Amino acid sequence: SVICGDLGPAQAFFEGRGLVPKGQSTVRFDGREAILTAFKGLQEFRYAFDNFYEAYDKEIHGCHVHALSLSRVLVWSRFRLSRLAGFLDSQVLVRDNESMPWTTEHLVFTIDDFRGVDRTMRNRLADIECFVLDNSLRESTVGQVRGHTVEDKKKIFEAVKSVGFEYVIVAAFNNTQRVEDAFLPDLREQLRERGEDFSKFFAFSEVADKFEDGRFVFGEDNIPVALKKMKDFFVPNVVLEIDLLRGRDEPNPFDVEHVMELFEFLLGWHRRENGSEAMAFVNLRDFPF
């Protein structure tokens, strides 16, 4: 196999990786070992394709394939591959028989576009299944001059749903009466009329309401009040919040085994009380840097 081509605007990058001498604007790799060595120097490109054949620019109807024989074809096209874009001036693909994959025998390319943007990653992100958990309903405590009303939360909720978000944090419960306590029963009745439920709703909960002698107090007699209120208000999914930074008078880090026991208990209790479909996330606050 032979791969050669004009580096164009990617010349400085190839020079910096030691793949070509300074001032050389073309490149040629002869044989498998030379090609593999070159590709190792391009690892940060994060190639998503095994060969150029899958990297042809599907947005441009300029891919030409000419059959030389049943086992040999000539291809030329524009291509996009990670941060590179340009033209395949010619590529000869061969295979031993119809059941074998095509391999590159000879390839000549010209790079005419090189940027810091990773196109392959951008394309993959455009197609990836994304999970969005909206947090618009939680009240900000920074620079706030007044709290939400039930009507405020209704308007925010409708705005969230209008853009298509399915998973929504609807409450941050504690041991005091909050707007959520009045908003959620009203919302549940409203959704029931639409034939919807709370199955995709979340609420925040502290991992423990008590902290004694450097340890969280937990157990069947010490369930966080927010977790219990979630069950009362039919909110099945939880975001458990834990502060990792301790106070100045407690400089020692948390006992990791103790924290793991805490989460094992909380996650088990939550799953048991809310069913196997209930989701749980952990929010790590205040990293001890």
Side-chain angles (χ1 to χ4, degrees), residues 40-93:
K40 286 180 181 178
L42 300 172
Q43 285 181 347
E44 74 173 69
F45 275 74
R46 296 197 294 274
Y47 288 105
F49 308 109
D50 294 328
N51 56 58
F52 279 97
Y53 196 74
E54 298 177 29
Y56 297 149
D57 194 335
K58 299 177 177 59
E59 301 172 3
I60 301 174
H61 302 292
C63 180
H64 304 275
V65 180
H66 179 68
L68 303 176
S69 68
L70 292 177
S71 60
R72 192 179 182 88
V73 297
L74 175 66
V75 180
W76 63 96
S77 170
R78 183 162 179 80
F79 74 89
R80 292 178 183 273
L81 191 61
S82 192
R83 298 185 176 104
L84 300 175
F87 292 92
L88 295 181
D89 302 305
S90 66
Q91 181 183 20
V92 177
L93 300 173

Side-chain angles (χ1 to χ4, degrees), residues 42-178:
L42 300 172
Q43 285 181 347
E44 74 173 69
F45 275 74
R46 296 197 294 274
Y47 288 105
F49 308 109
D50 294 328
N51 56 58
F52 279 97
Y53 196 74
E54 298 177 29
Y56 297 149
D57 194 335
K58 299 177 177 59
E59 301 172 3
I60 301 174
H61 302 292
C63 180
H64 304 275
V65 180
H66 179 68
L68 303 176
S69 68
L70 292 177
S71 60
R72 192 179 182 88
V73 297
L74 175 66
V75 180
W76 63 96
S77 170
R78 183 162 179 80
F79 74 89
R80 292 178 183 273
L81 191 61
S82 192
R83 298 185 176 104
L84 300 175
F87 292 92
L88 295 181
D89 302 305
S90 66
Q91 181 183 20
V92 177
L93 300 173
V94 297
R95 61 182 179 182
D96 294 333
N97 55 64
E98 294 182 7
S99 64
M100 299 294 290
W102 292 101
T103 60
T104 298
E105 181 183 80
H106 183 81
L107 186 151
V108 179
F109 64 87
T110 300
I111 298 172
D112 66 0
D113 190 8
F114 173 79
R115 298 181 182 179
V117 175
D118 189 334
R119 289 185 180 83
T120 301
M121 182 62 67
R122 177 175 287 181
N123 291 338
R124 290 168 65 187
L125 289 173
D127 297 331
I128 200 169
E129 185 177 348
C130 182
F131 182 90
V132 176
L133 181 56
D134 183 82
N135 193 27
S136 302
L137 282 165
R138 187 175 195 178
E139 295 194 45
S140 171
T141 57
V142 180
Q144 181 171 277
V145 295
R146 66 181 182 86
H148 289 169
T149 65
V150 172
E151 290 303 316
D152 291 332
K153 289 197 177 291
K154 286 181 180 179
K155 291 177 182 178
I156 295 171
F157 179 79
E158 291 303 325
V160 169
K161 299 300 286 185
S162 71
V163 296
F165 292 154
E166 295 182 64
Y167 299 93
V168 182
I169 297 174
V170 294
F173 294 118
N174 64 13
N175 58 357
T176 63
Q177 189 79 5
R178 288 187 168 183

Side-chain angles (χ1 to χ4, degrees), residues 245-263:
L245 182 62
R246 306 184 68 181
R248 294 180 180 177
D249 57 338
E250 296 177 296
N252 296 323
F254 284 120
D255 181 336
V256 175
E257 289 187 8
H258 169 67
V259 172
M260 296 307 296
E261 290 173 2
L262 165 72
F263 277 113

Side-chain angles (χ1 to χ4, degrees), residues 198-262:
F198 275 25
S199 61
K200 295 182 178 180
F201 291 169
F202 286 73
F204 286 105
S205 172
E206 297 293 333
V207 294
D209 294 333
K210 295 180 181 179
F211 191 72
E212 297 177 355
D213 300 324
R215 299 171 71 84
F216 296 102
V217 178
F218 66 93
E220 292 294 341
D221 296 329
N222 290 282
I223 305 298
V225 65
L227 276 179
K228 291 190 287 188
K229 291 181 78 169
M230 284 174 55
K231 189 167 178 60
D232 294 339
F233 285 95
F234 305 98
V235 179
N237 309 302
V238 66
V239 179
L240 293 167
E241 299 196 287
I242 180 172
D243 290 314
L244 298 181
L245 182 62
R246 306 184 68 181
R248 294 180 180 177
D249 57 338
E250 296 177 296
N252 296 323
F254 284 120
D255 181 336
V256 175
E257 289 187 8
H258 169 67
V259 172
M260 296 307 296
E261 290 173 2
L262 165 72

Side-chain angles (χ1 to χ4, degrees), residues 185-205:
D186 193 51
L187 178 63
R188 188 162 183 262
E189 187 61 33
Q190 177 184 334
L191 294 183
R192 183 183 294 156
E193 294 174 358
R194 301 183 190 175
E196 302 176 23
D197 58 26
F198 275 25
S199 61
K200 295 182 178 180
F201 291 169
F202 286 73
F204 286 105
S205 172

